[in-house]
Amino acid sequence: MNTRIEELLNLATEDILGVPVVNQEKFAELIIRETVWKVYNHQTLYHQPGYKFENLVKDIREEFGWL
């Protein structure tokens, strides 16, 4: 599993009566927040000559290990 996904999974895991349970809604929210942050960080690059949308897609895929 990708390290970043594992970190987000750990952040979304709660201890319920000594049993680790993944809060799926929180996990999904964390992934979406991470993705939106990547898009936000790329917005300054959009108007630079030679910038390609594929760069953003590649960055997001690398972040989550989807190469």
Side-chain angles (χ1 to χ4, degrees):
M1 182 181 302
N2 174 281
T3 304
R4 187 62 185 140
I5 294 287
E6 226 174 286
E7 291 169 357
L8 296 176
L9 185 61
N10 288 334
L11 288 172
T13 301
E14 303 167 357
D15 186 300
I16 299 176
L17 300 173
V19 177
V21 177
V22 175
N23 180 328
Q24 294 177 355
E25 187 175 324
K26 185 174 181 180
F27 183 54
E29 181 181 325
L30 290 169
I31 290 174
I32 291 168
R33 284 179 182 264
E34 189 84 11
T35 304
V36 168
W37 184 246
K38 287 285 182 189
V39 172
Y40 178 79
N41 285 335
H42 271 257
Q43 75 177 342
T44 57
L45 303 173
Y46 290 153
H47 302 292
Q48 290 185 3
Y51 180 80
K52 295 180 181 177
F53 181 74
E54 291 83 24
N55 296 347
L56 171 60
V57 174
K58 181 180 177 215
D59 195 24
I60 291 170
R61 289 180 67 158
E62 286 176 357
E63 179 75 16
F64 295 113
W66 300 327
L67 298 174

